[in-house]
């Protein structure tokens, strides 16, 4: 973490017309899990503008290498080897130093390692599908993995998720808490997916699609995809005239 | 024409999906050997933590009255003196033996979550008035497109609750009790209703 004064401003309001609404009946599970009443607006108090910060002491050497972190010694998972990298920034473009980024995904065949998953594609004995990392001072993060496969899910009669990686991000305040999904450039399933289509804004969908990044590719080893994550910006406290202790 | 403002837009939220546990609580779902322990699991307290030990438990319930068995619940709270363990905490130093954050998956059979924590102290609102003791909750699950924020207040803090500036903002007073957990012994029960008659108040924070 940088040795600078911590920022204590309230976060910019969320654009709720860009985020998916709670109720999106084409994604069937939302029907019974969506609040029907309006959210109560609450400009950030200490409870929202503060948030937990995680130190590197929680990390092991291979937490951000899914090719290694579940594999037997000398073995590796089957699939397309890729590097996923990018920056966690806020809406002002400032890097979110120390952001904890957690990720999880299916294997190359679209099979998740989970008790409740019954898809007939095989598990990969050398692939767990979980990792985490902490962004550096500039908000930069990276991890190595296998490109996940699409998988079918019981929503419509014939719905398939595009290849995707789930992301969970902690910024500097609990109001920035975000879970999202990364998609891959050129996947035709993206524009058919009911979960993608919960996002009402086409530009916002495009912002979740990671481009192939040949400049970051490791020759003869792995290709790269670049995925930048934007968290809520925050106001400067320079202009906020409030009592101490807000 | 004018200069562009140049702000970026927040990345859109997507559902955490049914397998959120793989990424957030892998040991809970049977993936061992990657992380020694699941982040945020276990009690929030140790022998040296200041404050009154309490248990907070409950379920997240859908619009049909069925508990979710695949939700992930996170809490964020102040220490016994009302300080947050965060770089944005400028009023004082939080209890070094209290992180204030934890994560719990709903039980795969019953949907119940449980946190072993302490009762938080009071934290000032933006204008300096004291808020009543509260715990912030964040809920994600399959079928929840964007994480839901709410607050749990304490049933045995009637006086503080009556002067809480956030509860005071809720126009329909009949909804206030959805945020108040009743005490029994050292346990507070906080059931979160996503939809319907007793729908919990959720905040746009």
């Amino acid at each position: 973490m940088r040795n600078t004064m911590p920022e204590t401003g309230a976060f910019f309001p969320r654009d709720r017309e860009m985020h998916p609404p709670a109720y999106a009946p084409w994604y069937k599970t939302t029907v019974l899990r969506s609040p029907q009443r309006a959210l109560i607006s609450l400009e950030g108090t200490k409870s929202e503008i503060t948030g937990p910060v995680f130190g590197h002491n929680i990390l092991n050497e291979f937490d951000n290498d899914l090719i290694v972190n579940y594999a037997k010694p000398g073995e590796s998972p089957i699939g397309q080897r890729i590097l996923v990298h990018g920056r966690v920034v806020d809406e002002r473009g400032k890097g979110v130093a120390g952001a904890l980024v957690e990720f999880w995904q299916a294997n190359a065949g679209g099979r998740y390692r989970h008790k409740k998953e019954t898809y007939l594609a095989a598990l990969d004995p050398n692939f767990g599908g979980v990792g985490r990392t902490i962004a550096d001072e500039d908000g930069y993060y990276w991890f190595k993995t296998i490109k996940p496969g699409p998988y079918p899910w019981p929503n419509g009669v014939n719905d398939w998720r595009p290849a995707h990686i789930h992301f969970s991000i902690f910024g500097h305040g609990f109001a920035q808490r975000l879970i999202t999904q990364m998609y891959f450039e050129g996947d035709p399933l993206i524009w058919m997916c009911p979960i993608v289509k919960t996002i009402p804004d086409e530009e916002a969908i495009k912002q979740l699609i990671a481009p192939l990044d040949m400049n970051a590719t490791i020759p003869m080893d792995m290709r790269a995809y670049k995925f930048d994550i934007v968290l809520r910006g925050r106001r400067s406290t320079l202009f906020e005239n409030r009592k101490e202790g807000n | 024409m004018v200069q562009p403002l140049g702000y970026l837009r927040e990345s859109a939220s997507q559902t955490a999906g049914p397998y959120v546990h793989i990424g957030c609580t892998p040991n809970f779902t049977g993936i061992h050997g990657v992380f020694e322990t699941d982040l945020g699991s276990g009690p929030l307290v140790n022998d040296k933590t200041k404050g009154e030990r309490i248990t907070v438990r409950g379920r997240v319930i859908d619009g049909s009255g069925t508990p979710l068995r695949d939700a992930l619940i996170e809490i964020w709270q102040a220490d016994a003196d009302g300080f947050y363990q965060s770089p944005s905490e400028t009023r004082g130093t939080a209890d070094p033996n209290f992180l204030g954050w934890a994560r719990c998956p709903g039980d795969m059979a019953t949907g119940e979550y449980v946190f072993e924590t302490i009762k938080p102290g009071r934290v000032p609102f933006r204008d300096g008035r004291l808020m009543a003791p509260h715990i912030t909750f964040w809920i994600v699950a399959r079928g929840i497109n964007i994480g839901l924020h709410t607050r749990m207040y304490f049933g045995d803090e009637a006086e503080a609750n009556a002067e809480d500036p956030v509860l005071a903002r809720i126009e329909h007073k009949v909804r206030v009790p959805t945020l108040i957990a009743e005490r029994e012994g050292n346990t507070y029960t906080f059931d979160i209703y996503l939809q319907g008659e007793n729908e919990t108040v959720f905040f746009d924070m």
Side-chain angles (χ1 to χ4, degrees):
Chain A
M1 301 292 286
R2 279 203 181 92
N3 189 16
T4 50
M5 285 296 288
E7 295 191 295
T8 57
F11 291 100
F12 300 166
R14 266 200 164 123
D15 176 359
R16 298 259 173 188
E17 293 181 8
M18 177 276 291
H19 283 289
Y23 177 74
W26 54 95
Y27 173 19
K28 293 181 180 182
T29 311
T30 68
V31 173
L32 282 173
R33 295 186 175 193
S34 46
Q36 292 164 328
R37 306 187 187 198
L39 301 176
I40 305 286
S41 295
L42 174 60
E43 193 176 13
T45 73
K46 271 284 178 220
S47 303
E48 292 78 45
I49 66 175
T50 57
V53 168
F54 300 93
H56 285 76
N57 60 325
I58 68 165
L59 299 181
N60 303 303
E61 185 182 359
F62 296 115
D63 278 5
N64 67 335
D65 190 339
L66 281 65
I67 296 173
V68 173
N69 73 13
Y70 196 80
K72 297 178 188 72
E75 297 186 20
S76 63
I78 289 173
Q80 301 175 32
R81 297 161 61 87
I82 58 170
L83 170 75
V84 176
H85 76 123
R87 289 180 74 217
V88 182
V89 296
D90 76 5
E91 289 169 309
R92 299 168 301 174
K94 293 180 75 163
V96 183
L100 174 69
V101 185
E102 299 166 289
F103 24 87
W104 65 100
Q105 61 170 91
N107 68 18
R111 175 71 187 267
Y112 282 96
R113 186 173 287 280
H114 192 282
K115 291 171 185 169
K116 291 186 180 176
E117 167 63 281
T118 54
Y119 179 37
L120 51 78
L123 282 167
D124 185 324
N126 292 302
F127 192 75
V130 51
R132 63 189 177 191
T133 188
I134 291 177
D136 73 10
E137 286 205 343
D138 299 315
Y140 183 75
Y141 78 92
W142 60 269
F143 62 98
K144 294 176 177 178
T145 188
I146 297 297
K147 190 177 177 194
Y151 85 101
W153 60 299
N155 183 62
V157 173
N158 187 24
D159 280 338
W160 291 74
R161 296 301 326 280
H164 64 280
I165 300 176
H166 295 266
F167 279 74
S168 162
I169 309 103
F170 287 83
H172 293 168
F174 207 55
Q176 287 179 303
R177 195 74 184 83
L178 183 72
I179 281 184
T180 187
Q181 299 181 30
M182 175 193 122
Y183 304 101
F184 291 85
E185 180 182 12
D187 186 343
L189 287 168
I190 292 170
W191 303 100
M192 303 176 195
C193 175
I195 287 177
V196 172
K197 289 199 272 193
T198 60
I199 301 170
D201 180 311
E202 190 178 326
E203 289 305 311
I205 293 173
K206 290 177 183 170
Q207 201 175 310
L208 299 184
I209 305 174
L212 179 69
D213 181 1
M214 290 304 286
N215 286 340
T217 288
I218 306 170
M220 304 304 290
D221 181 348
M222 60 178 65
R223 290 172 309 133
Y225 284 86
K226 184 168 182 289
F227 187 58
D228 290 337
I229 298 158
V230 183
L231 302 181
R232 295 166 70 174
R234 71 193 314 171
R235 289 209 304 265
S236 169
T237 39
L238 294 174
F239 311 107
E240 295 206 356
N241 184 16
R242 293 197 240 133
K243 289 179 190 166
E244 189 51 42
N246 52 26
Chain B
M1 289 299 286
V2 296
Q3 292 183 3
L5 276 168
Y7 289 114
L8 303 172
R9 297 171 84 208
E10 187 186 12
S11 298
S13 175
Q14 292 269 260
T15 180
Y19 308 123
V20 59
H21 312 101
I22 294 175
C24 293
T25 55
N27 290 286
F28 171 80
T29 192
I31 299 175
H32 300 291
V34 181
F35 305 153
E36 281 153 40
T37 57
D38 290 337
L39 195 67
S41 62
L44 285 85
V45 296
N46 62 40
D47 294 348
K48 296 179 187 159
T49 308
K50 287 195 299 189
E52 183 192 0
R53 271 56 178 167
I54 59 167
T55 301
V56 176
R57 63 198 319 159
R59 295 161 305 160
V60 181
I61 297 159
D62 76 12
S64 76
T66 307
L68 273 59
R69 293 176 301 167
D70 53 12
L72 185 78
I73 298 99
E74 291 185 0
I75 59 169
W76 174 240
Q77 64 167 103
D79 70 9
D81 296 324
F83 294 119
Y84 282 103
Q85 191 68 263
S86 167
S88 301
E89 176 58 86
T90 51
R91 297 166 300 146
T93 306
D95 181 350
N97 291 293
F98 190 68
L99 175 61
W101 173 84
R103 168 187 279 174
C104 184
D107 183 272
M108 284 192 188
T110 65
E112 189 174 54
Y113 72 83
V114 183
F115 293 105
E116 301 295 340
T117 182
I118 51 124
K119 199 168 180 182
R122 296 180 73 171
V123 176
F125 189 59
R126 295 172 60 83
D127 59 9
R129 284 180 294 164
L130 286 180
M131 295 188 278
H134 63 274
I135 297 175
T136 297
F137 276 66
W138 191 68
I139 302 116
V140 292
R142 175 173 65 102
I144 296 177
N145 287 327
I146 181 164
L148 294 166
H149 276 277
T150 187
R151 282 184 175 193
M152 185 198 103
Y153 287 84
F154 296 82
D156 55 345
E157 294 284 345
E159 203 174 312
N161 292 343
E163 59 184 31
D164 182 81
V166 175
L167 293 178
R169 281 196 179 187
I170 300 171
E171 179 190 354
H172 301 100
K173 295 304 169 205
V174 65
R175 301 195 66 204
V176 170
T178 67
L179 301 184
I180 296 172
E182 292 309 325
R183 178 169 192 154
E184 205 173 321
N186 287 330
T187 299
Y188 293 88
T189 300
F190 185 51
D191 286 333
I192 295 157
Y193 291 87
L194 296 179
Q195 188 187 86
E197 204 173 331
N198 296 315
E199 187 176 304
T200 299
V201 172
F202 297 106
F203 293 97
D204 186 11
M205 292 180 169

